[in-house]
């Protein structure tokens, strides 16, 4: 039912409300039994045990568990315990992240008013908001939160701040008459009050027409419950990789067992050899290193003023192709600022944004002193006097106590050197007529030091024009002729066309013996002075951030509950709306099917006057077109779309708890430009993950091939299982983690976003893994064969040489993994963590080879110096052979 269309009488009839007496206790109990309490319902929760066990469904976790089983079968119980520890830690991390996400609805509940004034059985009572029912009569005043959705039947200067629901920055002036219209957006339902919104001015009475899940807030709660949580591209890639590795491990095990049995070897020995190959095929440390790399990226992002709440979502930023950004408070400052002043056929511009009283006045781009321009000075002074708001310095910033519109007028006056204290010394406030939604104006009567009195009025320009009989024109007071009125109207239209909210100011000197009467008597025969045009200005750093995102192939889309004209103007200023780009409003969106929206979504850059359902619809349409969508916002209305997006981004300062809980990333400084830094970090994290996947898998391919070729050739095993596990967990682990700390390459923000379906092995990574792995395996096998051939009675020594060759080949190869092109493209000492990790791995290898207590465990024998020449020479070939050929090809 569209409550805003109904008259007061119809609302009372439908809800069975009694305006004079309210409901009886009996009626309340019956309605609570029928409809339940006025609270948001939560969906079914999984038990803690089930939620924890579900963490083990991840495919890479299964890979780790398989490695644990294999290590146990080989008697390597220490390795098995270490792997189990990694699995449990990862599972607890996922469990706690999931539990934290369930706080969204709890945060929504906290927005509901805990206590409300309700009329019951003829008397006003304060009751918990959860006890409200359909048909209750409630009253509210400045500072209250509305406890349910209400149809307003009485409004005295009532203004309600609804930005958390609608995204509109200004409080909405409320009225009581019915509103007719096919689909009136939430922000235009001026006779409605919504659960959780805040009264900023005036008072009112309303009939409860929606409780619990039947409120606008309840609809958002429902969207939060039903919005699908997207898995990240990295999660998809690792799941695919895990499946491949399991298949490879099983295939190799069966292959080796089959070959060995055909060659007449013992079945048990062949099974152990097959298990050794399976161990080589599975990079046991991969999931742990991915987690560590993401965690280290998170630490870097905190330094750049952004907090990651969901670890795997970090890299999603790197492939985001569209940023859907809320306007108010995200791209704009959420601080109304006067930017244009018009009077006497002259327009001045004002610099400076926000509530900081710093700025200058310009006429035709030349700075002017307001005191030397009588009309300008008078407009600013009267805007300060007819004003109930104050601006205060709070640490390094300025805050307001009162209405944002009045704050803008006050700050403009302060920029001209006018102060409230001095102004009130010159002009004493004698009478005040507060703003009223019916009159659409506010007035004060002031008295100067000579005893002269003036009525000063500010309000909607069209209303003040009807109350005016004169105007300031050609430096004098002239009768308000139709031609002058037309020119004033043209000025109003011109400023409105720039998305400015216009406040008109007029005055009337009182006769010496004129008595002060009511507002109707005082607000007549006014002299129209001029206009002050204001807007919620863009953040100065956002334009550059939008440009850099565009250079990175990322489209920025503005989604706002604000008016089309305002949204279009801000989007144009920021460079979001390009030539030929489309703008859609909520009414048009409502009429479009999902398929119709998908057909045009790539051409739309601005969505205005949208509801929470529209935001979800937009996100899903973009995702259907193959985009990775980042959704930013700060209000309750943004939460469902934030949750449904590939990565949700909330504001840390102005963001509601609901938005933060639904998001994956929180911007500590509410700065859109921080998103650009986060995207750069996200791209680098993904590239670093590719680097160590390349390193780990090339190393593992080398291990597999050296074992497989040895068996095919009928040779003894060049490596024993404990040596393979040592290489996988120690030699591979430290350098791989260091790769996760690698600095971004210079062109990381000049590349297009990678395609969401791009595999881990895209861009030639698969070939690099196989080619380098083949050479690492071949060189290791050659080293083994050369030593074994010279001394066939000392198998352990040949295995030690093979072990050392494999380790060194991998440690040299790690520097090649830092670049997509060649090992010579980047300074090897740029990443000191990697240099340290390689040195540490070399030292650990030497300890295993030369430290007597460890030799029996790892079956090693000290290598004589002359054989190190062979080892180092062969270990260098896999990296420098291909790098040299690539370099030659590049020069050619």
């Amino acid at each position: 039912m569209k409550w805003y269309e109904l008259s007061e009488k119809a609302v009372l009839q439908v809800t069975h409300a009694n305006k004079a007496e309210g409901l009886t206790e009996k009626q309340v109990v019956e309605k609570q039994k029928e409809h339940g309490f006025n609270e948001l319902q939560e969906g079914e929760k999984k038990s803690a045990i089930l939620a924890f066990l579900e963490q083990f469904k991840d495919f890479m976790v299964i890979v780790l568990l398989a490695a644990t089983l294999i290590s146990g079968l080989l008697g390597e119980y220490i390795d098995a315990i270490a792997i189990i520890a990694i699995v449990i830690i990862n599972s607890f991390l996922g469990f706690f992240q999931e539990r934290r996400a369930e706080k969204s609805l709890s945060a929504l509940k906290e927005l509901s008013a805990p206590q409300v004034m309700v009329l019951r059985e003829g008397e006003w009572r304060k009751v918990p908001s959860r006890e409200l029912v359909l048909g209750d009569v409630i009253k509210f005043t400045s500072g209250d939160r509305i406890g349910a959705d209400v149809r307003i039947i009485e409004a005295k200067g009532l203004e309600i701040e609804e930005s958390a629901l609608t995204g509109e920055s200004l409080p909405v002036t409320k009225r009581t008459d019915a509103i007719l219209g096919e689909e009136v957006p939430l922000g235009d339902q001026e006779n409605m009050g919504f659960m959780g919104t805040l009264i900023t001015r005036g008072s009112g009475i309303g009939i409860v027409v929606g409780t619990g899940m039947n409120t606008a807030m309840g609809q958002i709660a429902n969207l939060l419950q039903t919005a699908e949580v997207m898995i990240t591209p990295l999660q998809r890639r690792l799941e695919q990789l895990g499946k491949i590795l399991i298949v490879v491990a099983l295939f190799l095990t069966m292959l080796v067992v089959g070959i060995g049995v055909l060659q007449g070897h013992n079945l048990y020995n062949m099974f152990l050899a097959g298990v050794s190959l399976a161990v080589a095929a599975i990079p046991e440390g991969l999931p742990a290193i991915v987690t560590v790399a993401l965690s280290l990226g998170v630490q870097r992002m905190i330094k750049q003023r952004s907090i990651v709440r969901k670890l795997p979502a970090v890299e999603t930023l790197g492939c985001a192709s569209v940023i859907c950004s809320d306007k108010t408070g995200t791209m704009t400052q959420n601080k109304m600022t006067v930017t244009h002043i018009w009077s006497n056929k002259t327009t001045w511009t004002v610099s400076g944004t926000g509530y900081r009283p710093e700025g200058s006045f310009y006429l035709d781009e030349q700075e002017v002193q307001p005191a030397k321009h009588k009309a300008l000075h008078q407009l600013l002074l009267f805007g300060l006097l007819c004003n109930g708001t104050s601006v205060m310095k709070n640490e390094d910033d300025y805050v307001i106590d009162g209405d944002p519109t009045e704050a803008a007028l006050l700050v403009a006056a302060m920029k001209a050197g006018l102060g409230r204290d001095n102004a009130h010394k010159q002009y004493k406030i004698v009478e005040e007529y507060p703003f009223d939604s019916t009159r659409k104006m506010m007035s004060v009567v002031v008295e100067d030091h000579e005893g002269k009195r003036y009525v000063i009025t500010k309000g909607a320009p069209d209303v003040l024009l009807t109350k005016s009989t004169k105007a300031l024109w050609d430096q004098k007071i002239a009768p308000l002729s139709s031609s002058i009125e037309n020119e004033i109207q043209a000025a109003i239209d011109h400023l409105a066309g720039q998305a400015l909210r216009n406040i008109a100011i007029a005055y009337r000197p009182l006769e010496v013996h004129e008595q002060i009467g009511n507002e109707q008597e005082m607000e007549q025969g006014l002299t129209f002075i001029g206009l002050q045009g204001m807007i919620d200005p863009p953040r100065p750093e956002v334009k550059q951030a939008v440009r850099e995102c565009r250079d990175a192939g990322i489209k920025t889309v503005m989604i706002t509950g604000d008016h089309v004209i305002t949204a279009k103007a801000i989007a144009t200023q920021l460079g979001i709306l390009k030539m030929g780009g489309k703008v859609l409003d909520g009414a048009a969106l409502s009429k479009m099917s999902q398929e119709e929206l998908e057909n045009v979504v790539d051409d739309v850059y601005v969505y205005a006057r949208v509801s929470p359902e529209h935001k979800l619809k937009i996100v899903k349409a973009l995702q259907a077109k193959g985009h990775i969508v980042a959704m930013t916002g700060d209000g309750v209305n943004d939460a469902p779309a934030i949750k449904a997006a590939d990565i949700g981004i909330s504001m840390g300062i102005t963001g509601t708890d609901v938005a933060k809980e639904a998001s994956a990333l929180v911007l500590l400084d509410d700065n859109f430009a921080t998103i650009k830094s986060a995207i750069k970090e996200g791209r680098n994290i993904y590239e670093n993950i590719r680097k160590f996947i390349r390193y780990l898998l090339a190393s593992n391919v080398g291990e597999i091939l050296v074992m497989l070729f040895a068996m095919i050739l009928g040779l003894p095993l060049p490596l024993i299982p404990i040596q393979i596990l040592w290489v996988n967990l120690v030699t591979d682990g430290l350098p791989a983690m260091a790769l996760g700390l690698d600095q971004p390459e210079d062109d990381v923000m000049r590349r297009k976003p990678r395609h969401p379906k791009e595999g881990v092995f895209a861009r030639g990574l698969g070939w690099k893994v196989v080619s380098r792995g083949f050479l690492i395996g071949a060189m290791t096998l050659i080293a083994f064969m050369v030593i074994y051939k010279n001394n066939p009675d000392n198998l352990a020594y040949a295995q030690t040489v093979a072990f050392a060759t494999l380790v060194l080949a991998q440690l040299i190869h790690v520097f090649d993994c830092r670049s997509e092109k060649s090992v010579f493209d980047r300074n090897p000492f740029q990443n000191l963590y990697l240099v340290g990790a390689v040195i540490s791995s070399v030292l650990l290898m030497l300890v295993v080879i030369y430290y007597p207590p460890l030799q029996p465990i790892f079956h090693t024998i000290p290598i004589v110096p002359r054989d190190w020449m062979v080892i180092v020479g062969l270990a260098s070939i896999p990296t420098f052979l291909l790098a040299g050929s690539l370099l030659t090809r590049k020069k050619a």
Side-chain angles (χ1 to χ4, degrees):
M1 185 176 294
K2 297 175 182 176
W3 294 103
Y4 56 82
E5 289 186 333
L6 302 182
S7 65
E8 178 184 323
K9 184 178 179 181
V11 173
L12 291 169
Q13 287 177 344
V14 173
T15 60
H16 304 292
N18 187 323
K19 183 180 177 181
E21 296 290 325
L23 298 176
T24 65
E25 289 300 327
K26 183 180 178 182
Q27 287 176 305
V28 170
V29 171
E30 287 175 354
K31 291 193 176 191
Q32 285 174 348
K33 285 181 180 177
E34 183 179 355
H35 302 291
F37 284 102
N38 175 37
E39 56 190 4
L40 303 180
Q41 304 298 317
E42 298 187 33
E44 290 184 19
K45 285 187 177 180
K46 288 180 287 192
S47 69
I49 294 174
L50 183 61
F52 179 71
L53 290 176
E54 284 192 354
Q55 305 304 315
F56 293 88
K57 287 165 60 178
D58 181 82
F59 215 87
M60 283 308 291
V61 172
I62 295 172
V63 171
L64 278 177
L65 292 174
T68 307
L69 176 63
I70 292 165
S71 298
L73 289 172
L74 293 172
E76 305 299 336
Y77 301 115
I78 293 175
D79 296 310
I81 291 169
I83 297 169
I84 283 288
I86 292 171
V87 170
I88 292 173
I89 290 169
N90 282 343
S91 299
F92 270 113
L93 283 173
F95 170 73
F96 286 121
Q97 286 171 2
E98 186 176 308
R99 283 321 230 191
R100 285 188 67 190
E102 291 177 358
K103 292 181 181 177
S104 296
L105 291 181
S106 300
L108 264 177
K109 286 182 173 182
E110 290 172 9
L111 279 177
S112 303
Q115 299 282 322
V116 291
M117 290 297 293
V118 61
L119 184 63
R120 297 267 175 87
E121 296 181 340
E123 62 180 36
W124 290 102
R125 306 174 187 172
K126 184 172 279 190
V127 302
S129 63
R130 73 186 296 269
E131 294 182 7
L132 290 178
V133 295
L134 194 73
D136 260 329
V137 181
I138 65 172
K139 68 178 179 180
F140 29 82
T141 188
S142 181
D144 290 345
R145 281 200 186 274
I146 298 181
D149 282 6
V150 299
R151 169 66 165 83
I152 297 167
I153 60 172
E154 187 177 306
K156 295 178 180 177
L158 181 63
E159 291 187 3
I160 304 179
E161 197 272 304
E162 299 176 342
S163 64
L165 274 176
T166 66
E168 186 158 2
S169 52
L170 290 171
V172 179
T173 301
K174 294 297 182 177
R175 56 190 173 115
T176 59
D177 52 312
I179 300 172
L180 299 179
E182 188 176 340
E183 282 293 336
V184 179
L186 212 63
D188 292 334
Q189 294 177 22
E190 296 174 354
N191 57 8
M192 295 289 295
F194 302 103
M195 175 192 276
T197 56
L198 182 68
I199 312 297
T200 58
R201 176 186 280 176
S203 61
I205 294 177
I207 306 295
V208 173
V209 294
T211 61
M213 299 301 284
N214 292 320
T215 61
M217 195 75 76
Q219 291 172 19
I220 292 175
N222 185 57
L223 290 173
L224 273 173
Q225 290 176 11
T226 56
E228 295 178 14
V229 180
M230 303 298 295
I231 66 168
T232 73
L234 179 63
Q235 288 172 314
R236 284 194 287 266
R237 300 290 86 82
L238 288 180
E239 187 173 324
Q240 292 170 4
L241 181 58
K243 291 175 181 176
I244 292 169
L245 293 176
I246 288 289
V247 171
V248 168
L250 292 174
F251 172 75
L252 287 172
T253 302
M254 291 187 290
L255 180 66
V256 169
V257 172
I259 292 172
V261 170
L262 289 174
Q263 290 180 346
H265 293 287
N266 180 273
L267 178 61
Y268 177 74
N269 291 335
M270 286 302 97
F271 175 73
L272 285 180
V275 169
S276 298
L277 270 180
V279 170
I282 300 171
E284 291 89 346
L286 180 59
I289 295 170
V290 169
T291 302
V292 170
L294 291 173
S295 299
L296 294 171
V298 166
Q299 296 304 312
R300 290 195 297 271
M301 293 176 84
I302 288 173
K303 293 177 183 177
Q304 297 176 20
R305 311 293 294 162
S306 51
I307 292 178
V308 177
R309 295 186 62 257
K310 298 172 184 176
L311 205 56
V314 174
E315 59 83 32
T316 316
L317 277 171
C319 61
S321 55
V322 177
I323 300 174
C324 295
S325 176
D326 186 38
K327 176 185 75 67
T328 304
T330 307
M331 292 187 157
T332 63
Q333 300 181 35
N334 203 14
K335 297 176 180 178
M336 294 301 291
T337 305
V338 172
T339 59
H340 292 71
I341 297 176
W342 180 91
S343 180
N344 194 29
K345 298 189 285 187
T346 305
T347 302
W348 294 270
T349 57
V350 189
S351 67
T353 59
Y355 298 136
R356 185 176 292 275
E358 298 171 2
S360 302
F361 296 79
Y362 298 88
L363 179 61
D364 297 328
E365 299 184 358
Q366 297 294 317
E367 187 173 348
V368 299
Q369 297 301 318
K372 295 180 180 179
H373 295 258
K374 184 178 178 182
L376 174 60
H377 185 269
Q378 192 175 26
L379 258 177
L380 293 167
L381 176 63
F382 285 1
L384 180 152
L385 291 170
C386 189
N387 199 310
T389 294
S390 57
V391 175
M392 299 158 290
K393 189 169 184 179
N394 180 16
E395 295 179 357
D396 296 331
D397 203 1
Y398 287 79
V399 295
I400 68 167
D401 181 14
D403 181 74
T405 300
E406 289 191 340
L409 299 174
L410 178 58
V411 170
M414 292 168 73
K415 288 176 181 177
L418 297 171
R420 179 185 289 278
D421 293 341
N422 287 334
H424 284 167
K425 286 178 183 176
Q426 297 177 45
Y427 295 91
K428 182 174 68 175
I429 305 292
V430 178
E431 185 63 75
E432 181 175 334
Y433 305 100
F435 179 85
D436 182 273
S437 58
T438 304
R439 290 164 37 243
K440 294 186 178 179
M441 65 179 78
M442 170 193 176
S443 298
V444 293
V445 178
V446 299
E447 183 180 294
D448 66 14
H449 59 277
E450 295 178 355
K452 294 180 181 178
R453 292 183 172 184
Y454 304 86
V455 176
I456 302 174
T457 303
K458 76 171 191 297
D462 54 334
V463 177
L464 256 66
L465 270 177
T466 64
K467 299 286 185 179
S468 300
T469 56
K470 300 174 184 177
L472 179 61
W473 205 255
D474 289 331
Q475 309 301 328
K476 61 180 184 290
I477 305 301
L480 186 63
S481 63
S482 58
S483 61
I484 292 176
E485 188 172 348
N486 288 339
E487 289 203 44
I488 292 173
Q489 189 60 55
I492 294 169
D493 294 342
H494 177 70
L495 293 180
Q498 297 178 60
L500 299 177
R501 186 187 188 197
N502 293 323
I503 299 296
I505 295 176
Y507 83 109
R508 176 169 72 87
L510 296 183
E511 299 297 332
V512 177
H513 300 294
E514 186 176 352
Q515 296 295 314
I516 297 174
N518 59 36
E519 57 262 36
Q520 283 80 18
E521 295 168 348
M522 294 291 100
E523 295 169 344
Q524 297 292 336
L526 301 174
T527 298
F528 193 95
I529 305 175
L531 307 162
Q532 293 199 44
M534 62 187 67
I535 196 169
D536 178 12
R539 292 177 177 270
E541 65 279 358
V542 169
K543 187 172 185 178
Q544 176 66 19
V546 169
R547 184 185 300 115
E548 291 187 34
C549 286
R550 186 168 58 247
D551 292 342
I554 302 165
K555 176 184 176 183
T556 304
V557 176
M558 179 186 287
I559 303 180
T560 177
D562 220 332
H563 292 280
V564 174
I565 294 174
T566 306
K568 192 173 180 179
I570 296 291
T572 302
Q573 287 181 46
L574 293 175
I576 293 171
L577 184 60
K578 67 176 189 179
M579 192 72 71
K582 292 183 179 179
V583 179
L584 277 182
D585 64 11
L589 266 173
S590 295
K591 295 175 183 176
M592 297 176 80
S593 66
Q594 191 69 33
E595 187 177 343
E596 287 172 332
L597 179 58
E598 288 171 16
N599 291 334
V600 300
V601 73
D602 283 331
D603 301 320
V604 181
Y605 290 82
V606 178
Y607 297 88
R609 249 8 195 175
V610 298
S611 67
E613 292 89 345
H614 291 145
K615 293 185 180 186
L616 261 182
K617 189 175 181 180
I618 294 162
V619 168
K620 288 180 177 178
L622 286 164
Q623 288 171 335
K625 296 291 284 187
H627 291 289
I628 296 295
V629 182
M631 170 71 191
T632 76
D634 56 2
V636 176
N637 61 318
D638 301 318
I642 285 174
K643 186 177 178 183
D646 296 278
I647 180 160
I649 307 170
S650 64
M651 304 298 121
I653 299 173
T654 59
T656 61
D657 287 343
V658 182
K660 291 175 188 175
E661 289 296 335
S663 66
L665 186 73
V666 180
L667 304 184
L668 291 177
D669 54 4
D670 288 15
N671 191 336
F672 183 88
T674 305
I675 299 171
K676 183 261 300 178
S677 300
I679 287 173
K680 182 177 182 179
E681 191 60 57
R683 288 189 173 191
N684 187 46
I685 287 169
Y686 186 79
E687 290 305 313
N688 286 349
I689 289 172
R690 272 174 51 92
K691 289 172 188 177
F692 62 66
I693 286 175
R694 169 183 168 183
Y695 171 64
L696 288 175
L697 294 189
S699 300
N700 285 19
V701 167
E703 294 165 24
I704 292 167
L705 293 180
V706 72
M707 299 285 283
L708 185 60
F709 290 160
M711 296 205 64
I712 292 173
L713 295 173
L715 295 170
L717 291 179
L719 300 165
I720 62 171
I722 186 64
Q723 292 172 343
I724 294 173
L725 279 171
W726 192 91
V727 171
N728 281 6
L729 291 172
V730 181
T731 302
D732 291 353
L734 288 174
M737 286 186 184
L739 280 176
L741 290 168
D742 211 14
Q743 295 83 357
E745 296 185 57
D746 294 336
D747 63 346
V748 70
M749 283 301 284
R750 293 193 295 274
R751 304 172 189 168
K752 289 185 177 181
R754 65 184 183 277
H755 194 278
K757 294 184 179 178
E758 177 185 292
V760 173
F761 299 106
R763 291 179 271 152
L765 185 66
W767 163 247
K768 288 171 185 172
V769 167
V770 172
S771 60
R772 269 58 163 194
F774 175 83
L775 286 175
I776 289 170
M779 295 306 108
T780 302
L781 186 61
I782 289 171
F784 173 77
M785 290 172 67
V786 167
I787 301 300
Y788 182 66
K789 184 177 180 182
N790 292 334
N791 192 0
D793 295 326
N794 197 346
L795 176 61
Y797 185 77
Q799 289 174 330
T800 304
V801 169
F803 171 68
T805 306
L806 177 67
V807 169
L808 281 184
Q810 292 180 4
L811 294 178
I812 295 170
H813 170 245
V814 74
F815 291 100
D816 190 26
C817 296
R818 293 186 65 230
S819 173
E820 292 278 337
K821 299 170 186 174
S822 165
V823 70
F824 301 111
D825 268 17
R826 303 191 73 184
N827 180 356
F829 296 101
Q830 185 184 24
N831 187 343
L832 293 177
Y833 295 106
L834 183 59
V835 173
V838 168
I839 292 172
S840 299
S841 295
V842 170
L843 291 175
L844 287 169
M845 175 192 69
L846 295 175
V847 169
V848 166
I849 293 172
Y850 290 102
Y851 186 52
L854 293 179
Q855 290 170 352
I857 298 173
F858 290 94
H859 304 278
T860 54
I861 293 175
I863 299 173
V864 297
R866 71 172 183 275
D867 288 334
W868 279 109
M869 300 281 290
V870 176
I871 292 168
V872 173
L874 289 171
S876 302
I877 290 174
T879 295
F880 294 107
L881 177 68
L882 292 178
S885 64
L886 283 170
L887 194 65
T888 305
R889 195 183 312 154
K890 187 177 178 182
K891 286 180 179 177

